[in-house]
Amino acid sequence: MISQSPPHQQTRADKLLAWMLFVFISLTAFAVGFYISYTQGYMHSDSVSRVANAFYVLYSRDPHLGAIGFVWTPLPSLLDLVVLLLYPLFPALASHALAAVVVSSIFSGLAAALLYKTGIRFGLPRWLTLSIVILYSLNPFIFLFGVNGLSDSPYLYFLLYAMIQFTDWMERRDSTGLVKAGFALALAFWTRYEAVPVGFAMACAVFVVIWFIFGHAHPEESRKLQYKRKYHHIEATWILLLLPVVFSGLIWIFFNYTIMHNPLYFLNSEYSNVAQSDSLKADANFEKIFNSPILALWLCIKKTAWFSAPLIGVILLGLMNKRLFKWDIVVLVLVFCSIPALQFLLLLNSSSFAWFRYFMYVYPITVAWLPYELSKVKINFRNCAVVLTSLVVTVGLLTYALTNPLIAPDENTFLTYKQGRHIKSIQLDRSVAKWLDENLKNDTILTDSAASFMIIVNSKYPKRFMITSDYDFRDAVTDPKGNGIDYILIPRLPVYSTINKTYPNLFEHGSEFATFYRSFEDPMHRYEWRLYKVVKGEQTDEGH
Protein backbone atom coordinates (compact mmCIF):
# COMPACT_ATOMS: atom_id res chain seq x y z
CA MET A 1 0.00 0.00 0.00
CA ILE A 2 1.14 3.58 -0.61
CA SER A 3 2.51 5.46 2.37
CA GLN A 4 0.39 8.51 3.12
CA SER A 5 2.90 10.33 5.35
CA PRO A 6 6.59 9.52 5.02
CA PRO A 7 8.44 9.06 8.32
CA HIS A 8 10.71 11.83 9.54
CA GLN A 9 14.36 11.04 8.97
CA GLN A 10 16.64 10.56 11.95
CA THR A 11 19.73 12.73 12.01
CA ARG A 12 23.13 11.55 13.12
CA ALA A 13 22.51 13.28 16.46
CA ASP A 14 19.26 11.36 16.90
CA LYS A 15 20.98 8.04 16.29
CA LEU A 16 23.70 8.95 18.77
CA LEU A 17 21.12 9.98 21.37
CA ALA A 18 19.25 6.69 20.91
CA TRP A 19 22.48 4.77 21.52
CA MET A 20 23.30 6.90 24.54
CA LEU A 21 19.87 6.25 26.02
CA PHE A 22 20.29 2.52 25.45
CA VAL A 23 23.71 2.42 27.09
CA PHE A 24 22.74 4.67 30.01
CA ILE A 25 19.51 2.85 30.91
CA SER A 26 21.01 -0.62 30.41
CA LEU A 27 24.15 0.04 32.44
CA THR A 28 22.24 1.80 35.21
CA ALA A 29 19.71 -1.04 35.48
CA PHE A 30 22.46 -3.66 35.45
CA ALA A 31 24.46 -1.82 38.11
CA VAL A 32 21.48 -1.69 40.47
CA GLY A 33 20.56 -5.29 39.66
CA PHE A 34 24.15 -6.44 40.27
CA TYR A 35 24.18 -4.68 43.64
CA ILE A 36 20.92 -6.28 44.80
CA SER A 37 21.50 -9.76 43.35
CA TYR A 38 25.23 -10.23 43.85
CA THR A 39 26.29 -7.85 46.60
CA GLN A 40 23.16 -8.16 48.74
CA GLY A 41 22.32 -11.71 47.68
CA TYR A 42 18.62 -11.10 47.00
CA MET A 43 16.75 -12.04 43.83
CA HIS A 44 13.18 -12.80 42.79
CA SER A 45 12.47 -16.53 42.77
CA ASP A 46 10.86 -16.30 39.31
CA SER A 47 14.02 -14.83 37.78
CA VAL A 48 16.18 -17.56 39.37
CA SER A 49 13.72 -20.20 38.14
CA ARG A 50 13.99 -18.92 34.55
CA VAL A 51 17.80 -18.96 34.80
CA ALA A 52 17.69 -22.46 36.28
CA ASN A 53 15.63 -23.72 33.33
CA ALA A 54 18.33 -22.44 30.98
CA PHE A 55 21.02 -23.86 33.29
CA TYR A 56 19.61 -27.40 33.04
CA VAL A 57 19.89 -27.28 29.25
CA LEU A 58 23.66 -26.84 29.48
CA TYR A 59 24.92 -28.09 32.84
CA SER A 60 22.51 -30.64 34.35
CA ARG A 61 23.05 -34.38 34.69
CA ASP A 62 20.93 -34.94 31.55
CA PRO A 63 21.45 -31.82 29.38
CA HIS A 64 18.98 -31.36 26.51
CA LEU A 65 16.92 -28.50 25.10
CA GLY A 66 13.68 -29.94 26.48
CA ALA A 67 15.04 -29.32 29.98
CA ILE A 68 14.09 -25.67 29.47
CA GLY A 69 10.59 -26.63 30.61
CA PHE A 70 7.07 -26.63 29.21
CA VAL A 71 5.08 -24.62 31.72
CA TRP A 72 6.31 -21.11 30.95
CA THR A 73 7.04 -20.01 27.40
CA PRO A 74 10.77 -20.41 26.85
CA LEU A 75 12.11 -17.20 25.29
CA PRO A 76 13.34 -15.60 28.56
CA SER A 77 15.22 -18.78 29.45
CA LEU A 78 16.61 -19.06 25.90
CA LEU A 79 17.97 -15.52 26.24
CA ASP A 80 19.43 -16.43 29.64
CA LEU A 81 20.95 -19.52 28.07
CA VAL A 82 23.11 -17.41 25.74
CA VAL A 83 24.53 -15.51 28.71
CA LEU A 84 25.05 -18.75 30.65
CA LEU A 85 27.56 -19.92 28.08
CA LEU A 86 29.96 -17.86 30.21
CA TYR A 87 28.95 -19.72 33.41
CA PRO A 88 32.26 -21.69 33.67
CA LEU A 89 34.05 -18.33 33.87
CA PHE A 90 31.41 -16.49 35.95
CA PRO A 91 29.38 -18.91 38.13
CA ALA A 92 27.43 -15.96 39.59
CA LEU A 93 25.56 -15.74 36.28
CA ALA A 94 23.60 -18.74 37.56
CA SER A 95 24.04 -18.72 41.34
CA HIS A 96 22.98 -15.07 41.65
CA ALA A 97 20.76 -15.01 38.53
CA LEU A 98 22.96 -12.35 36.93
CA ALA A 99 22.18 -13.85 33.52
CA ALA A 100 18.57 -12.71 33.98
CA VAL A 101 19.73 -9.26 35.15
CA VAL A 102 21.85 -8.90 32.00
CA VAL A 103 18.84 -9.74 29.81
CA SER A 104 16.32 -7.53 31.64
CA SER A 105 18.68 -4.54 31.75
CA ILE A 106 19.41 -4.81 28.02
CA PHE A 107 15.70 -4.83 27.17
CA SER A 108 15.03 -1.84 29.40
CA GLY A 109 17.67 0.04 27.40
CA LEU A 110 16.22 -1.18 24.11
CA ALA A 111 12.78 0.09 25.17
CA ALA A 112 14.21 3.56 25.84
CA ALA A 113 15.97 3.68 22.46
CA LEU A 114 12.83 2.40 20.69
CA LEU A 115 10.64 5.09 22.25
CA TYR A 116 13.09 7.82 21.31
CA LYS A 117 13.39 6.71 17.68
CA THR A 118 9.60 6.42 17.45
CA GLY A 119 9.04 9.96 18.70
CA ILE A 120 11.50 11.32 16.15
CA ARG A 121 9.94 9.26 13.37
CA PHE A 122 6.52 10.73 14.17
CA GLY A 123 7.97 14.23 13.98
CA LEU A 124 7.96 15.13 17.69
CA PRO A 125 10.48 17.69 18.97
CA ARG A 126 13.62 16.18 20.43
CA TRP A 127 13.03 17.70 23.89
CA LEU A 128 9.51 16.29 24.05
CA THR A 129 10.62 12.85 22.92
CA LEU A 130 13.44 12.79 25.47
CA SER A 131 11.04 13.85 28.21
CA ILE A 132 8.65 11.00 27.41
CA VAL A 133 11.50 8.49 27.29
CA ILE A 134 13.02 9.58 30.60
CA LEU A 135 9.69 9.75 32.42
CA TYR A 136 8.83 6.25 31.21
CA SER A 137 12.20 4.51 31.51
CA LEU A 138 13.16 5.99 34.87
CA ASN A 139 9.74 5.58 36.40
CA PRO A 140 10.82 3.58 39.49
CA PHE A 141 8.23 0.87 38.89
CA ILE A 142 9.21 0.33 35.24
CA PHE A 143 12.91 0.67 36.03
CA LEU A 144 12.57 -2.08 38.65
CA PHE A 145 11.88 -4.62 35.91
CA GLY A 146 15.14 -3.78 34.19
CA VAL A 147 16.81 -4.54 37.52
CA ASN A 148 15.14 -7.69 38.82
CA GLY A 149 15.68 -10.13 35.95
CA LEU A 150 12.00 -11.01 35.51
CA SER A 151 10.49 -11.76 32.11
CA ASP A 152 8.49 -8.52 32.25
CA SER A 153 11.31 -6.40 30.81
CA PRO A 154 11.55 -8.21 27.44
CA TYR A 155 7.75 -8.51 27.41
CA LEU A 156 7.36 -4.75 27.89
CA TYR A 157 9.74 -4.17 24.99
CA PHE A 158 7.85 -6.48 22.62
CA LEU A 159 4.57 -4.93 23.71
CA LEU A 160 5.91 -1.44 23.01
CA TYR A 161 7.25 -2.55 19.64
CA ALA A 162 3.99 -4.23 18.59
CA MET A 163 1.88 -1.19 19.53
CA ILE A 164 4.29 1.25 17.88
CA GLN A 165 4.31 -0.72 14.64
CA PHE A 166 0.53 -0.97 14.72
CA THR A 167 0.22 2.82 15.00
CA ASP A 168 2.79 3.13 12.22
CA TRP A 169 0.51 1.05 10.00
CA MET A 170 -2.46 3.23 10.97
CA GLU A 171 -0.51 6.37 10.08
CA ARG A 172 1.26 5.29 6.90
CA ARG A 173 -0.96 2.41 5.74
CA ASP A 174 2.20 0.45 5.03
CA SER A 175 1.85 -3.29 5.58
CA THR A 176 5.48 -3.47 6.78
CA GLY A 177 4.30 -2.19 10.15
CA LEU A 178 1.75 -5.00 10.36
CA VAL A 179 4.38 -7.64 9.67
CA LYS A 180 6.65 -6.20 12.35
CA ALA A 181 3.77 -5.94 14.81
CA GLY A 182 2.88 -9.58 14.10
CA PHE A 183 6.37 -10.82 14.83
CA ALA A 184 6.55 -8.64 17.95
CA LEU A 185 3.31 -10.23 19.17
CA ALA A 186 4.78 -13.68 18.54
CA LEU A 187 7.92 -12.82 20.52
CA ALA A 188 5.72 -11.38 23.26
CA PHE A 189 3.84 -14.69 23.36
CA TRP A 190 7.09 -16.65 23.63
CA THR A 191 7.85 -14.41 26.62
CA ARG A 192 4.51 -14.30 28.47
CA TYR A 193 1.03 -15.71 27.84
CA GLU A 194 -0.50 -12.27 28.37
CA ALA A 195 0.26 -11.58 24.70
CA VAL A 196 -2.77 -13.70 23.71
CA PRO A 197 -5.48 -11.19 24.73
CA VAL A 198 -3.37 -8.35 23.31
CA GLY A 199 -3.33 -10.12 19.95
CA PHE A 200 -7.09 -10.65 20.13
CA ALA A 201 -7.62 -6.95 20.92
CA MET A 202 -5.41 -5.92 18.00
CA ALA A 203 -7.43 -8.17 15.72
CA CYS A 204 -10.56 -6.29 16.82
CA ALA A 205 -8.69 -3.02 16.33
CA VAL A 206 -7.92 -4.00 12.73
CA PHE A 207 -11.65 -4.17 12.06
CA VAL A 208 -12.16 -0.70 13.56
CA VAL A 209 -9.28 0.82 11.60
CA ILE A 210 -10.24 -0.61 8.21
CA TRP A 211 -14.00 -0.25 8.57
CA PHE A 212 -14.18 3.19 10.15
CA ILE A 213 -10.83 5.00 9.84
CA PHE A 214 -9.48 4.14 6.42
CA GLY A 215 -12.78 5.00 4.80
CA HIS A 216 -13.84 4.21 1.25
CA ALA A 217 -11.05 3.82 -1.25
CA HIS A 218 -13.55 3.73 -4.11
CA PRO A 219 -16.63 5.88 -3.23
CA GLU A 220 -18.21 5.25 -6.64
CA GLU A 221 -18.65 1.53 -5.85
CA SER A 222 -21.91 0.08 -4.61
CA ARG A 223 -22.28 -0.45 -0.87
CA LYS A 224 -22.23 -4.22 -1.31
CA LEU A 225 -18.97 -4.08 -3.23
CA GLN A 226 -17.47 -1.72 -0.65
CA TYR A 227 -18.38 -4.13 2.15
CA LYS A 228 -16.87 -7.02 0.23
CA ARG A 229 -13.68 -5.07 -0.42
CA LYS A 230 -13.40 -4.14 3.26
CA TYR A 231 -14.01 -7.72 4.34
CA HIS A 232 -11.18 -8.98 2.15
CA HIS A 233 -8.96 -6.16 3.38
CA ILE A 234 -9.64 -7.14 7.01
CA GLU A 235 -9.08 -10.81 6.25
CA ALA A 236 -5.72 -10.15 4.58
CA THR A 237 -4.66 -7.82 7.39
CA TRP A 238 -5.52 -10.41 10.04
CA ILE A 239 -3.34 -12.94 8.22
CA LEU A 240 -0.39 -10.55 8.20
CA LEU A 241 -0.80 -9.54 11.83
CA LEU A 242 -1.88 -12.77 13.51
CA LEU A 243 -0.14 -15.53 11.56
CA PRO A 244 3.14 -15.40 13.57
CA VAL A 245 1.46 -15.48 17.00
CA VAL A 246 -1.17 -18.10 16.03
CA PHE A 247 1.56 -20.29 14.53
CA SER A 248 3.62 -19.82 17.71
CA GLY A 249 0.70 -20.93 19.86
CA LEU A 250 0.12 -24.03 17.75
CA ILE A 251 3.82 -24.91 17.80
CA TRP A 252 3.87 -24.57 21.59
CA ILE A 253 0.88 -26.91 21.91
CA PHE A 254 2.59 -29.35 19.50
CA PHE A 255 5.81 -29.31 21.55
CA ASN A 256 3.83 -29.98 24.73
CA TYR A 257 2.07 -32.87 23.02
CA THR A 258 5.13 -34.53 21.48
CA ILE A 259 7.47 -34.13 24.46
CA MET A 260 5.20 -34.05 27.52
CA HIS A 261 2.43 -36.19 25.92
CA ASN A 262 -0.16 -33.57 26.88
CA PRO A 263 -0.95 -30.72 24.46
CA LEU A 264 -2.14 -28.57 27.38
CA TYR A 265 0.64 -29.51 29.80
CA PHE A 266 1.53 -25.83 30.21
CA LEU A 267 -2.05 -25.18 31.29
CA ASN A 268 -3.07 -28.11 33.48
CA SER A 269 0.06 -29.90 34.70
CA GLU A 270 1.02 -30.15 38.37
CA TYR A 271 3.49 -27.28 37.82
CA SER A 272 1.13 -24.96 35.91
CA ASN A 273 -0.17 -21.61 37.09
CA VAL A 274 -3.57 -23.20 37.62
CA ALA A 275 -2.04 -25.77 39.98
CA GLN A 276 -0.06 -23.11 41.85
CA SER A 277 -3.20 -21.02 42.23
CA ASP A 278 -4.98 -23.81 44.11
CA SER A 279 -3.41 -22.55 47.32
CA LEU A 280 -5.34 -19.30 46.93
CA LYS A 281 -8.63 -21.10 47.48
CA ALA A 282 -7.69 -21.44 51.13
CA ASP A 283 -7.34 -17.65 51.40
CA ALA A 284 -10.59 -16.10 52.63
CA ASN A 285 -10.10 -12.83 50.71
CA PHE A 286 -9.36 -14.57 47.42
CA GLU A 287 -12.22 -16.98 47.96
CA LYS A 288 -14.63 -14.03 48.11
CA ILE A 289 -13.17 -12.56 44.90
CA PHE A 290 -13.25 -15.91 43.07
CA ASN A 291 -16.93 -16.30 43.87
CA SER A 292 -18.00 -12.75 43.04
CA PRO A 293 -17.68 -11.31 39.51
CA ILE A 294 -18.39 -7.84 40.92
CA LEU A 295 -15.53 -8.05 43.43
CA ALA A 296 -13.22 -9.46 40.76
CA LEU A 297 -14.14 -6.64 38.36
CA TRP A 298 -13.67 -4.02 41.07
CA LEU A 299 -10.23 -5.43 41.93
CA CYS A 300 -9.18 -5.22 38.27
CA ILE A 301 -10.46 -1.65 37.96
CA LYS A 302 -8.66 -0.53 41.13
CA LYS A 303 -5.32 -2.02 40.11
CA THR A 304 -5.56 -0.81 36.51
CA ALA A 305 -6.36 2.73 37.71
CA TRP A 306 -2.84 3.12 39.12
CA PHE A 307 -1.47 2.90 35.56
CA SER A 308 -4.21 4.88 33.81
CA ALA A 309 -3.04 8.51 34.07
CA PRO A 310 -1.53 8.48 30.52
CA LEU A 311 -4.84 7.16 29.13
CA ILE A 312 -6.63 10.05 30.86
CA GLY A 313 -4.02 12.36 29.30
CA VAL A 314 -4.80 10.98 25.84
CA ILE A 315 -8.54 11.47 26.44
CA LEU A 316 -7.97 15.09 27.58
CA LEU A 317 -5.77 15.65 24.55
CA GLY A 318 -8.55 14.41 22.30
CA LEU A 319 -11.11 16.52 24.10
CA MET A 320 -9.07 19.72 23.80
CA ASN A 321 -8.29 19.13 20.13
CA LYS A 322 -11.73 17.86 19.08
CA ARG A 323 -10.39 14.35 18.45
CA LEU A 324 -12.09 12.51 21.28
CA PHE A 325 -14.88 11.06 19.15
CA LYS A 326 -12.65 9.83 16.37
CA TRP A 327 -12.29 6.08 15.98
CA ASP A 328 -8.57 6.15 16.86
CA ILE A 329 -9.32 6.20 20.58
CA VAL A 330 -11.34 2.98 20.24
CA VAL A 331 -8.19 1.20 19.07
CA LEU A 332 -6.26 2.30 22.14
CA VAL A 333 -9.10 1.43 24.52
CA LEU A 334 -9.50 -2.05 23.00
CA VAL A 335 -5.84 -2.95 23.49
CA PHE A 336 -5.74 -1.23 26.89
CA CYS A 337 -8.74 -3.18 28.20
CA SER A 338 -7.36 -6.53 27.06
CA ILE A 339 -4.94 -6.51 30.01
CA PRO A 340 -7.42 -6.24 32.92
CA ALA A 341 -9.91 -8.36 30.95
CA LEU A 342 -7.52 -11.33 31.08
CA GLN A 343 -7.02 -10.96 34.82
CA PHE A 344 -10.79 -10.69 35.32
CA LEU A 345 -11.35 -13.96 33.44
CA LEU A 346 -8.55 -15.68 35.36
CA LEU A 347 -10.00 -14.52 38.67
CA LEU A 348 -13.37 -15.95 37.69
CA ASN A 349 -11.51 -19.19 36.95
CA SER A 350 -9.76 -19.02 40.37
CA SER A 351 -6.35 -19.09 38.67
CA SER A 352 -4.66 -15.71 39.16
CA PHE A 353 -2.64 -14.20 41.98
CA ALA A 354 -3.58 -10.80 40.51
CA TRP A 355 -0.13 -9.37 41.27
CA PHE A 356 0.08 -5.61 40.81
CA ARG A 357 2.55 -5.97 37.95
CA TYR A 358 0.06 -8.02 35.92
CA PHE A 359 -1.87 -4.79 35.36
CA MET A 360 1.09 -2.58 34.48
CA TYR A 361 1.09 -3.65 30.82
CA VAL A 362 -1.58 -1.02 30.11
CA TYR A 363 1.09 1.61 30.81
CA PRO A 364 3.55 0.77 27.98
CA ILE A 365 0.59 0.27 25.63
CA THR A 366 -0.52 3.87 26.28
CA VAL A 367 3.02 5.28 26.16
CA ALA A 368 3.57 3.56 22.81
CA TRP A 369 0.43 5.33 21.57
CA LEU A 370 1.62 8.82 22.58
CA PRO A 371 3.84 9.59 19.53
CA TYR A 372 0.95 8.75 17.20
CA GLU A 373 -1.51 10.85 19.20
CA LEU A 374 0.83 13.83 19.49
CA SER A 375 1.53 13.73 15.75
CA LYS A 376 -2.19 14.43 15.20
CA VAL A 377 -2.29 17.65 17.23
CA LYS A 378 -0.42 20.91 17.34
CA ILE A 379 2.72 20.77 19.44
CA ASN A 380 2.10 23.62 21.87
CA PHE A 381 2.55 24.19 25.59
CA ARG A 382 -0.97 23.06 26.52
CA ASN A 383 -0.87 19.75 24.65
CA CYS A 384 2.65 18.91 25.80
CA ALA A 385 1.79 19.82 29.38
CA VAL A 386 -1.15 17.42 29.42
CA VAL A 387 0.95 14.48 28.21
CA LEU A 388 3.98 15.17 30.39
CA THR A 389 1.82 15.83 33.46
CA SER A 390 0.13 12.46 33.02
CA LEU A 391 3.56 10.78 32.96
CA VAL A 392 4.76 12.73 36.00
CA VAL A 393 1.59 11.78 37.88
CA THR A 394 2.24 8.15 36.98
CA VAL A 395 5.77 8.41 38.38
CA GLY A 396 4.30 9.68 41.66
CA LEU A 397 1.54 7.09 41.81
CA LEU A 398 3.75 4.11 41.03
CA THR A 399 6.51 5.28 43.36
CA TYR A 400 3.98 5.38 46.18
CA ALA A 401 2.56 1.99 45.15
CA LEU A 402 6.05 0.50 45.12
CA THR A 403 6.64 1.60 48.71
CA ASN A 404 3.30 0.26 49.93
CA PRO A 405 3.19 -3.51 50.55
CA LEU A 406 -0.61 -3.43 50.67
CA ILE A 407 -0.74 -2.22 47.04
CA ALA A 408 2.28 -3.92 45.46
CA PRO A 409 3.39 -6.65 47.90
CA ASP A 410 5.53 -8.60 45.44
CA GLU A 411 7.35 -5.56 44.06
CA ASN A 412 7.76 -4.00 47.51
CA THR A 413 9.98 -6.89 48.56
CA PHE A 414 12.82 -5.34 46.54
CA LEU A 415 12.79 -2.38 48.91
CA THR A 416 12.38 -4.41 52.09
CA TYR A 417 14.28 -7.59 51.21
CA LYS A 418 16.56 -7.37 54.26
CA GLN A 419 13.55 -7.74 56.55
CA GLY A 420 11.64 -10.10 54.27
CA ARG A 421 11.13 -13.84 54.52
CA HIS A 422 12.31 -14.70 51.03
CA ILE A 423 15.96 -13.79 51.64
CA LYS A 424 15.98 -16.29 54.53
CA SER A 425 14.89 -18.97 52.08
CA ILE A 426 17.66 -17.96 49.67
CA GLN A 427 20.27 -18.08 52.43
CA LEU A 428 19.04 -21.49 53.56
CA ASP A 429 19.18 -22.90 50.02
CA ARG A 430 22.74 -21.62 49.58
CA SER A 431 23.79 -23.21 52.85
CA VAL A 432 22.24 -26.52 51.72
CA ALA A 433 24.17 -26.36 48.42
CA LYS A 434 27.41 -25.63 50.27
CA TRP A 435 26.93 -28.52 52.71
CA LEU A 436 26.12 -30.95 49.91
CA ASP A 437 29.19 -29.81 47.97
CA GLU A 438 31.41 -30.42 50.98
CA ASN A 439 29.95 -33.74 52.10
CA LEU A 440 28.24 -35.52 49.19
CA LYS A 441 30.29 -34.73 46.10
CA ASN A 442 29.98 -38.11 44.44
CA ASP A 443 26.49 -39.21 45.47
CA THR A 444 23.36 -39.06 43.33
CA ILE A 445 20.64 -36.90 44.92
CA LEU A 446 17.03 -37.10 43.78
CA THR A 447 15.18 -33.79 44.06
CA ASP A 448 12.34 -31.92 42.37
CA SER A 449 14.01 -28.95 40.68
CA ALA A 450 10.73 -27.00 40.72
CA ALA A 451 11.42 -26.56 44.43
CA SER A 452 15.21 -26.93 44.68
CA PHE A 453 16.35 -24.80 41.72
CA MET A 454 18.16 -22.35 44.02
CA ILE A 455 20.19 -25.18 45.54
CA ILE A 456 21.09 -26.63 42.14
CA VAL A 457 22.35 -23.38 40.57
CA ASN A 458 24.43 -22.68 43.71
CA SER A 459 26.08 -26.10 43.70
CA LYS A 460 29.55 -26.68 42.29
CA TYR A 461 28.47 -30.17 41.25
CA PRO A 462 25.05 -29.80 39.56
CA LYS A 463 25.42 -33.05 37.63
CA ARG A 464 24.98 -35.17 40.77
CA PHE A 465 21.34 -34.06 41.08
CA MET A 466 18.66 -36.14 39.36
CA ILE A 467 16.02 -33.52 38.60
CA THR A 468 12.56 -33.13 37.11
CA SER A 469 13.75 -32.60 33.53
CA ASP A 470 15.86 -35.79 33.46
CA TYR A 471 14.36 -38.50 31.30
CA ASP A 472 14.55 -41.06 34.11
CA PHE A 473 13.24 -38.80 36.88
CA ARG A 474 9.77 -40.40 37.08
CA ASP A 475 11.28 -43.88 37.17
CA ALA A 476 13.66 -42.78 39.91
CA VAL A 477 10.79 -41.39 42.00
CA THR A 478 8.97 -44.72 41.70
CA ASP A 479 12.07 -46.81 42.39
CA PRO A 480 14.95 -44.76 43.89
CA LYS A 481 17.15 -47.77 44.70
CA GLY A 482 16.72 -49.38 41.29
CA ASN A 483 17.79 -46.14 39.58
CA GLY A 484 20.98 -45.62 41.56
CA ILE A 485 19.70 -42.92 43.91
CA ASP A 486 21.77 -42.41 47.06
CA TYR A 487 19.86 -39.56 48.71
CA ILE A 488 16.49 -37.82 48.41
CA LEU A 489 16.19 -34.09 49.12
CA ILE A 490 12.69 -32.77 49.81
CA PRO A 491 11.18 -29.54 51.16
CA ARG A 492 8.67 -29.07 53.91
CA LEU A 493 5.11 -28.70 52.65
CA PRO A 494 3.30 -26.70 51.30
CA VAL A 495 6.22 -26.22 48.86
CA TYR A 496 5.24 -28.45 45.94
CA SER A 497 7.40 -31.43 45.04
CA THR A 498 6.50 -34.48 42.97
CA ILE A 499 8.41 -36.57 45.51
CA ASN A 500 6.31 -35.22 48.39
CA LYS A 501 3.16 -35.90 46.39
CA THR A 502 4.24 -39.47 45.60
CA TYR A 503 5.30 -40.15 49.18
CA PRO A 504 3.16 -37.80 51.33
CA ASN A 505 4.50 -39.24 54.63
CA LEU A 506 8.17 -39.24 53.71
CA PHE A 507 9.06 -35.77 55.00
CA GLU A 508 7.58 -36.24 58.47
CA HIS A 509 7.96 -39.97 59.07
CA GLY A 510 10.53 -41.33 56.67
CA SER A 511 10.05 -44.66 54.92
CA GLU A 512 11.28 -48.23 54.83
CA PHE A 513 13.32 -47.42 51.71
CA ALA A 514 14.74 -44.09 52.97
CA THR A 515 16.01 -43.12 56.41
CA PHE A 516 16.37 -39.62 57.82
CA TYR A 517 19.91 -38.31 57.34
CA ARG A 518 19.96 -34.54 57.95
CA SER A 519 17.70 -31.51 58.31
CA PHE A 520 18.39 -27.97 57.07
CA GLU A 521 16.28 -25.21 58.60
CA ASP A 522 16.43 -21.42 58.74
CA PRO A 523 16.75 -19.72 62.18
CA MET A 524 13.09 -18.61 62.11
CA HIS A 525 11.92 -22.21 61.43
CA ARG A 526 9.92 -21.12 58.38
CA TYR A 527 11.71 -23.18 55.74
CA GLU A 528 13.16 -26.65 55.96
CA TRP A 529 14.81 -29.23 53.74
CA ARG A 530 15.31 -32.83 54.75
CA LEU A 531 17.81 -35.25 53.32
CA TYR A 532 16.97 -38.95 53.33
CA LYS A 533 19.43 -41.73 52.60
CA VAL A 534 18.13 -44.50 50.37
CA VAL A 535 18.28 -47.89 52.04
CA LYS A 536 19.88 -50.41 49.73
CA GLY A 537 17.15 -52.95 50.35
CA GLU A 538 13.81 -53.93 48.79
CA GLN A 539 11.61 -51.19 47.41
CA THR A 540 8.24 -50.78 49.11
CA ASP A 541 4.96 -49.34 47.90
CA GLU A 542 4.68 -46.70 50.65
CA GLY A 543 3.00 -43.55 49.50
CA HIS A 544 1.35 -44.97 46.38
Side-chain angles (χ1 to χ4, degrees), residues 334-386:
L334 277 171
V335 183
F336 183 99
C337 289
S338 68
I339 303 301
L342 173 65
Q343 293 305 315
F344 175 69
L345 293 175
L346 290 176
L347 286 170
L348 294 184
N349 193 47
S350 305
S351 57
S352 175
F353 287 83
W355 294 121
F356 192 61
R357 72 175 185 270
Y358 292 171
F359 298 86
M360 76 170 172
Y361 308 130
V362 299
Y363 183 43
I365 285 170
T366 314
V367 171
W369 182 270
L370 290 178
Y372 171 83
E373 189 68 27
L374 285 166
S375 71
K376 299 294 184 182
V377 300
K378 186 177 181 180
I379 302 298
N380 55 31
F381 174 80
R382 185 184 63 171
N383 290 334
C384 294
V386 167

Side-chain angles (χ1 to χ4, degrees), residues 27 32 44 46 52-53 108 113 133 159 195 202 222 230 236 242 262 286 293 343 345 372 374 380 425-426 432 465:
L27 289 181
V32 177
H44 198 289
D46 284 359
N53 287 341
S108 66
V133 172
L159 206 57
M202 283 191 172
S222 66
K230 284 185 176 183
L242 300 177
N262 176 3
F286 269 103
Q343 293 305 315
L345 293 175
Y372 171 83
L374 285 166
N380 55 31
S425 172
I426 294 173
V432 173
F465 293 99

Side-chain angles (χ1 to χ4, degrees), residues 444-492:
T444 301
I445 303 171
L446 178 69
T447 186
D448 190 330
S449 54
S452 59
F453 55 87
M454 183 72 73
I455 295 172
I456 296 166
V457 297
N458 277 277
S459 173
K460 295 178 182 178
Y461 311 102
K463 290 185 180 295
R464 46 90 182 272
F465 293 99
M466 182 177 288
I467 60 175
T468 319
S469 59
D470 291 351
Y471 287 116
D472 48 358
F473 174 77
R474 301 283 178 177
D475 292 337
V477 171
T478 304
D479 180 12
K481 172 183 170 292
N483 285 272
I485 301 300
D486 299 305
Y487 294 88
I488 301 174
L489 182 65
I490 54 176
R492 180 200 294 163

Side-chain angles (χ1 to χ4, degrees), residues 135-136 139 304-317 329 332 336 362-370 373 386-395 397-398:
L135 287 171
Y136 173 79
N139 182 311
T304 305
W306 288 91
F307 304 95
S308 299
L311 177 64
I312 295 172
V314 170
I315 292 172
L316 286 175
L317 205 62
I329 192 68
L332 174 59
F336 183 99
V362 299
Y363 183 43
I365 285 170
T366 314
V367 171
W369 182 270
L370 290 178
E373 189 68 27
V386 167
V387 170
L388 296 181
T389 299
S390 71
L391 295 176
V392 171
V393 168
T394 305
V395 170
L397 287 171
L398 296 186

Side-chain angles (χ1 to χ4, degrees), residues 242-253:
L242 300 177
L243 184 61
V245 69
V246 171
F247 181 75
S248 295
L250 294 175
I251 285 291
W252 185 234
I253 291 171

Side-chain angles (χ1 to χ4, degrees), residues 44-58:
H44 198 289
S45 58
D46 284 359
S47 66
V48 185
S49 179
R50 295 273 196 173
V51 171
N53 287 341
F55 184 83
Y56 307 147
V57 173
L58 298 173

